Amino acid sequence: MSVFRSSRFARLEPYVPGEQPRERKYIKLNTNESPYPPSPAVLEAVRVAAGALNLYCDPTALKLREAAAAAYGVEPECVLPVNGSDEILNFAVMAFCDGRIPMACPEISYGFYPVLANLHGIRLRQVPLRADLTIDYRDYLSQNCTVFIANPNAPTGSVLTLSEIREIAASNPRNVVVVDEAYVDFGAESAIRLTKEYSNLLVTRTFSKSHSLAGGRLGFGIADPALIDDLTAIKDSTNPYNVNAMTQAAGIAAFKDNGYYADNCRRVAETRDRTAKALKALGFTVTDSKANFLFVRHPNLPGGALYERLREKGILVRHFSKPAIEDFNRITVGADGQMEALIGAVREILTQNGRE
Ligand SMILES: *Cc1c(COP(=O)(O)O)cnc(C)c1O
């Protein structure tokens, strides 16, 4: 029974993260982490930072903002580091939505957006995708809503072009447009440079997927300084030291080691395209993904069944029981060996399925 004393939060519908099993060793292809470890420079930076954990970290994360600004081609006052990009999505809802300003997002997208709308009692317009599961950018023009779009989208991997993002930002001048670029490093074009032209555009980034730092919890908001000031006011009103000292140090070192991460992202993209081909050869429909996951469906195998059979074989993927996509599974692109194991397991399941 709930013991909430607050009527505001008595009806929460919390986000349900993908499983993080501890009881058995799985090939983990369910939460879009990088299969590759952080770079040695990151490990060393964390070790050094740990030596000063008796002191508070810099609440303005200045050095990290400077490193991020240099990498993203903006000024440091255009960057807010956060405790995973989920945190800045929450700040954005708090700062830019209210009873008169609803949210809009694709109906099939990151599951955290509806959770945040519910948390803050914000009306949410969920916009259907096209039949091929891509986003029609025209659905987001002149909305009078705070718009949230993941680019690439999750769990489909589809992308909008920069000119489409530009039109969305330009047509909603009085509202904030949030472009969630969690997966952009795997093959989409970043909208960061548009933040200099459109003061209503907020781009969010995370180091959880492309930068091997999911457990470190590091994300960024990049926008015009006035938007960043509003978001920083929310940050300072909830958790001023939101990014801990070890994670700040890890982030700075990771920006310096950009070549290592760029190589990993390229490798993941190559593995993705090879795996997509192999799955298509086995009869799967595979959406055109520019992210580090594949969204796949087989005509003879319900999504829930494939999920269960893979799980029995020690491979975890992500199945969503939402009606529109319940035939699909989202498969994180891991290292080559992991994907070979996946293809082998899928082949066995299909053969066995054919015999039954
Ligand atoms: C994973 C993910 C995030 C959140 O990542 P953090 O780990 O909180 O940085 C945000 N948006 C999308 C679309 C994601 O897939």
Side-chain angles (χ1 to χ4, degrees), residues 38-49:
S39 74
V42 166
L43 300 183
E44 176 58 17
V46 169
R47 195 188 63 77
V48 171

Side-chain angles (χ1 to χ4, degrees), residues 33 73 120 129-130 133 189 212 214 230 235 270 282 325 331:
E33 292 133 318
H120 296 295
L129 299 182
R130 292 188 179 113
L133 301 183
E189 207 176 347
S212 306
D230 289 354
K235 188 269 285 184
E270 286 166 8
L282 290 172
I325 52 171
I331 304 173

